[in-house]
Amino acid sequence: MKKTYSLMIHGGAGSVANKTSSLESIKKIVEKGEAMLRKGASSLDVVEKCVMLLENDPQFNAGRGSVLTHEGKVELDASIMNGSDLRAGAVAGVVGIKNPVTLAREVMDKSEFVFLVGKGAEKFALANNIAFEKPPYFITPQRKEQLMNTKKSNHMTLDHTIKDRKFGTVGAVALDLKGNLAAATSTGGLVNKNYGRVGDSPIIGAGCYADNETCAVSCTGYGEHFIRMVMAKTVSDIILYKKVSAQTASELAIKMLINKVKGLGGVIVVDKYGKIGKAYSTEGMIWGSVVKGGEVKAMLG
Ligand code: ASP
């Protein structure tokens, strides 16, 4: 098989506001990832880097600019997975971590665990010199207003209305020149989340999955639906057992999501051949890609 590389990233599914500047950011980040892959970087380094850059951009619901919890705090979730050996790392409900995806990577590389949560994960971060930031770094005026409006409408559901629901979660999937696949996902979760709620994003198999035999997957959407569908692993299983393309697998998985749990959200996929796939049940999804070393694209839809 000819050596090639591909990359796909997303900035969430839903009705995406402020499209132009989000699309510009997505394009720039894909360009950076593309340059890394072209020069031979591993898919794992590239998905971590792309998600880190998305976390640093306050337009997306991950890292800086994340949605607020019921108490007005930022609690972050992230995961990363390596397709060549199925190693994975994840963190949930962490406070003050500048780049949760890097902490997830650290959990994968430097601990014997896969998934750390809350205070324990923060303690691990401290011990491993992971960067912290104070609350004002994470909290934007738009997110304060969003929480206020959500509370006003007395929604214990986790965003304004179904129609307006935005999932600005971020993710990346990549195939590198050595044929290795990797995936990463990062989020602030859903607006007004309460009681330590955690969605699919940090759950390996639900919001993130990578296996060199099949594909790499990152999800965005209403986490409860994605957990119940074990969505990312479902996409991988469809490819494994049905031998279909990344695009067909994405569409079949979203069909199942709708039929079984009336699920809301989307998936991005890169398969072992470097082909990409995407599908969503929301109004839109913001994404960018480079397929087999070709042209860099950034799109809404
Ligand atoms: N999946 C995320 C969650 O439920 C939200 C999102 O995709 O924006 O926490």
Side-chain angles (χ1 to χ4, degrees):
M1 209 174 9
K2 198 174 155 268
K3 285 187 176 155
T4 190
Y5 61 87
S6 293
L7 168 68
M8 190 165 195
I9 69 174
H10 70 77
S15 49
V16 184
N18 204 358
K19 293 167 203 150
T20 322
S21 60
S22 318
L23 278 172
E24 272 163 22
S25 299
I26 292 276
K27 185 149 187 258
K28 275 191 198 136
I29 293 170
V30 177
E31 279 165 359
K32 286 202 179 127
E34 190 276 335
M36 287 175 75
L37 284 168
R38 182 166 21 93
K39 289 180 201 144
S42 71
S43 52
L44 195 61
D45 284 346
V46 172
V47 295
E48 182 191 349
K49 180 73 182 185
C50 290
V51 168
M52 227 182 89
L53 293 170
L54 289 159
E55 286 174 343
N56 294 346
D57 186 328
Q59 296 178 93
F60 301 102
N61 175 21
R64 185 172 190 207
S66 283
V67 301
L68 303 183
T69 66
H70 189 69
E71 279 101 26
K73 290 201 323 197
V74 169
E75 288 177 6
L76 302 169
D77 308 330
S79 57
I80 191 162
M81 185 159 185
N82 188 40
S84 63
D85 51 12
L86 306 192
R87 282 187 315 127
V91 293
V94 294
V95 175
I97 305 293
K98 184 176 183 219
N99 291 111
V101 71
T102 300
L103 181 56
R105 172 86 189 257
E106 201 80 354
V107 172
M108 177 175 102
D109 287 344
K110 308 258 175 73
S111 84
E112 55 188 306
F113 312 116
V114 168
F115 197 1
L116 300 181
V117 303
K119 292 265 175 285
E122 291 157 21
K123 201 168 145 193
F124 176 82
L126 264 180
N128 286 279
N129 297 318
I130 292 288
F132 278 75
E133 289 288 348
K134 297 251 178 319
Y137 168 83
F138 295 97
I139 301 177
T140 62
Q142 291 88 329
R143 294 306 191 189
K144 279 190 185 161
E145 197 189 317
Q146 181 188 40
L147 179 65
M148 233 171 56
N149 293 338
T150 309
K151 281 185 169 174
K152 253 192 247 155
S153 66
N154 203 17
H155 269 202
M156 283 305 287
T157 61
L158 312 143
D159 209 337
H160 300 274
T161 62
I162 296 278
K163 198 171 134 279
D164 282 341
R165 202 163 265 159
K166 296 185 189 79
F167 304 105
T169 289
V170 305
V173 290
L175 172 76
D176 64 28
L177 284 169
K178 290 196 172 137
N180 288 321
L181 289 161
T185 307
S186 180
T187 190
L190 297 183
V191 189
N192 199 23
K193 65 183 183 181
N194 209 349
Y195 310 118
R197 179 266 182 195
V198 173
D200 60 311
S201 310
I203 298 180
I204 299 301
C208 176
Y209 200 72
D211 180 350
N212 275 7
E213 211 186 330
T214 55
C215 61
V217 187
S218 173
C219 303
T220 170
Y222 198 89
E224 282 66 12
H225 301 154
F226 280 69
I227 293 172
R228 288 158 63 204
M229 286 297 299
V230 199
M231 195 65 177
K233 179 67 159 67
T234 294
V235 174
S236 169
D237 282 349
I238 292 173
I239 291 184
L240 184 65
Y241 298 116
K242 286 192 180 269
K243 314 267 178 250
V244 293
S245 70
Q247 183 55 35
T248 304
S250 309
E251 286 167 15
L252 286 173
I254 289 291
K255 240 184 225 157
M256 283 168 73
L257 179 81
I258 298 168
N259 292 341
K260 287 181 185 281
V261 301
K262 297 191 178 64
L264 271 178
V267 297
I268 58 166
V269 184
V270 170
D271 70 16
K272 63 178 175 181
Y273 308 109
K275 290 196 175 155
I276 61 165
K278 55 136 192 21
Y280 47 88
S281 61
T282 45
E283 201 182 297
M285 182 166 74
I286 186 162
W287 58 276
S289 68
V290 54
V291 182
K292 298 188 181 181
E295 189 199 341
V296 169
K297 281 190 191 156
M299 307 259 288
L300 178 74

